[in-house]
């Protein structure tokens, strides 16, 4: 089995490149229209049925304070495993991306830390690989406790 310790999946949101550790990626899916759910958090576009599990789909553009992801032939839903130790919560979420671009190898020693005064807590670091500049995500910190509770409430309503 290939060692994934230093492997990152990269994707585009608008003109920016983001990356997430491949160990957190469950699957990359072709875009499918999420089912709209009323009264959800603003960046949740709906839910999809993924392998007999209902998971929320997040518009990464809106979540990251950018323009909404524009649906094209390259749009993907990346299913990510998220664990919040502070709430003892684990769940899967689908993140909308403009395109999945690459899988690359990088050692964490090559990461450049970003001062938290200048970036949200979910940006773990930055790095440059093959002349591309990536924002490295910490998937466990992308969602606040209140956002997790809000998405959980929506999913619980669906299951009833």
């Amino acid at each position: 089995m290939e060692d994934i310790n230093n492997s990152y999946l990269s994707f585009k949101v608008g003109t920016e490149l983001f990356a997430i550790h491949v160990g957190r990626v469950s699957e990359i899916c072709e875009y499918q229209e999420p089912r709209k759910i009323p009264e959800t958090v603003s960046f949740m576009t709906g839910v999809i049925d993924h392998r007999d599990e209902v998971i929320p789909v997040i518009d990464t553009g809106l979540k990251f304070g950018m323009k909404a992801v524009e649906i094209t032939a390259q749009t993907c839903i990346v299913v990510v495993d998220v664990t919040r130790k502070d709430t003892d919560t684990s769940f899967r979420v689908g993140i909308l991306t403009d395109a999945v671009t690459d899988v690359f190898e990088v050692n964490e020693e090559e990461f450049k830390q970003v001062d938290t005064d200048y970036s949200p807590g979910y940006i773990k670091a930055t790095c440059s690989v093959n002349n591309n500049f990536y924002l490295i995500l910490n998937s466990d910190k992308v969602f606040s406790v209140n956002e997790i509770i809000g998405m959980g409430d929506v999913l619980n309503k669906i299951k009833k």
Side-chain angles (χ1 to χ4, degrees):
M1 182 174 179
E2 187 176 325
D3 184 18
I4 63 168
N5 287 334
N6 298 322
S7 298
Y8 288 80
L9 175 77
S10 64
F11 56 91
K12 284 182 78 168
V13 178
T15 59
E16 299 301 324
L17 287 169
F18 292 86
I20 189 168
H21 193 278
V22 296
R24 304 314 298 243
V25 176
S26 174
E27 191 170 346
I28 302 167
C29 306
E30 287 184 22
Y31 176 76
Q32 59 181 292
E33 182 75 30
R35 294 188 160 253
K36 304 286 185 219
I37 305 295
E39 300 179 36
T40 62
V41 291
S42 61
F43 52 81
M44 186 174 151
T45 63
V47 297
I48 58 171
D49 185 5
H50 176 72
R51 302 193 183 279
D52 298 326
E53 179 181 7
V54 176
I55 61 170
V57 176
I58 304 307
D59 185 315
T60 50
L62 295 176
K63 172 61 182 146
F64 297 161
M66 302 162 67
K67 291 169 83 172
V69 170
E70 184 179 333
I71 306 304
T72 68
Q74 289 79 35
T75 302
C76 294
I77 297 175
V78 179
V79 179
V80 176
D81 296 317
V82 177
T83 302
R84 285 294 301 236
K85 290 182 173 79
D86 54 351
T87 61
D88 197 30
T89 307
S90 294
F91 60 97
R92 283 200 169 114
V93 63
I95 59 172
L96 271 181
T97 66
D98 286 306
V100 169
T101 55
D102 198 7
V103 173
F104 62 88
E105 302 284 323
V106 64
N107 291 317
E108 286 197 20
E109 295 84 40
E110 297 176 57
F111 287 173
K112 292 180 178 62
Q113 300 304 312
V114 180
D115 190 322
T116 54
D117 290 342
Y118 303 109
S119 74
Y122 55 81
I123 301 294
K124 178 178 178 177
T126 66
C127 72
S128 293
V129 177
N130 298 327
N131 295 321
N132 290 313
F133 181 79
Y134 297 97
L135 298 169
I136 307 296
L137 294 178
N138 179 339
S139 63
D140 295 339
K141 293 186 177 182
V142 170
F143 304 104
S144 70
V145 172
N146 288 339
E147 291 168 342
I148 292 169
I149 291 169
M151 288 185 286
D153 288 347
V154 168
L155 294 175
N156 288 333
K157 288 177 187 175
I158 294 170
K159 293 177 184 177
K160 289 182 180 180

